[in-house]
């Protein structure tokens, strides 16, 4: 019975990851692609790990729990950091229903260096 459940979870995990890859290829902008990839990474890998634990026995339960806990912490943080970097690089939103709720686009993070003359004054 456990082997059937492990096989079902394995197939479900593969389906989730396949849909995530399809979302990365199909979605129009980096923000929606990031949503698809982060969901596929967390949910798909978590299902694969649970299937492995059910099929492998009690010796790996603690490892699976630790890996799923770390994924649940690091995946949203990484997705947020990537989305924030894309936003600061002024990556446009191409989704039809996209709304920028912040009000304004941020200034570019990289500013050109200022030139100085030999007398110590700075200018453009």
């Amino acid at each position: 019975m456990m082997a059937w459940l492990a096989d079902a979870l394995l197939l479900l995990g593969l389906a989730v990851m396949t849909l995530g890859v399809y979302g990365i290829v199909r979605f129009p902008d980096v923000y929606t692609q990031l949503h698809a990839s982060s969901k596929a990474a967390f949910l798909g890998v978590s299902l694969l790990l649970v299937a492995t634990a059910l099929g492998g026995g009690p010796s790996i339960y603690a490892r699976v729990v630790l890996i799923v806990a770390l994924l649940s912490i690091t995946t949203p943080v990484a997705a947020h950091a990537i989305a924030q970097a894309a936003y600061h690089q002024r990556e446009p939103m191409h989704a039809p229903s996209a709304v920028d709720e912040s009000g304004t686009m941020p200034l570019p993070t990289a500013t050109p260096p200022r030139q100085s003359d030999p007398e110590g004054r700075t200018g453009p």
Side-chain angles (χ1 to χ4, degrees):
M1 181 64 182
M2 286 296 224
W4 286 94
L5 183 59
D7 289 344
L9 287 174
L10 181 71
L11 290 176
L12 186 62
L14 289 174
V16 167
M17 292 186 79
T18 302
L19 288 174
V21 170
Y22 180 72
I24 293 169
V25 172
R26 183 79 170 105
F27 285 153
D29 59 2
V30 69
Y31 305 105
T32 53
Q33 291 171 353
L34 184 61
H35 177 76
S37 67
S38 64
K39 297 301 178 203
F42 177 69
L43 294 175
V45 172
S46 297
L47 287 171
L48 292 176
L49 285 169
V50 171
T52 303
L54 290 177
S59 63
I60 62 169
Y61 287 161
R63 292 181 189 141
V64 167
V65 169
L66 179 63
I67 293 171
V68 170
L70 290 174
L71 276 175
S72 70
I73 293 170
T74 59
T75 302
V77 172
H80 177 76
I82 294 169
Q84 190 175 24
Y87 185 73
H88 283 288
Q89 290 295 320
R90 296 182 178 200
E91 185 70 31
M93 295 180 195
H94 297 293
S97 62
V99 176
D100 183 10
E101 294 180 357
S102 67
T104 61
M105 287 294 285
L107 295 174
T109 55
T111 57
R114 298 185 76 172
Q115 298 173 352
S116 62
D117 63 355
E119 296 175 2
R121 296 178 291 179
T122 59

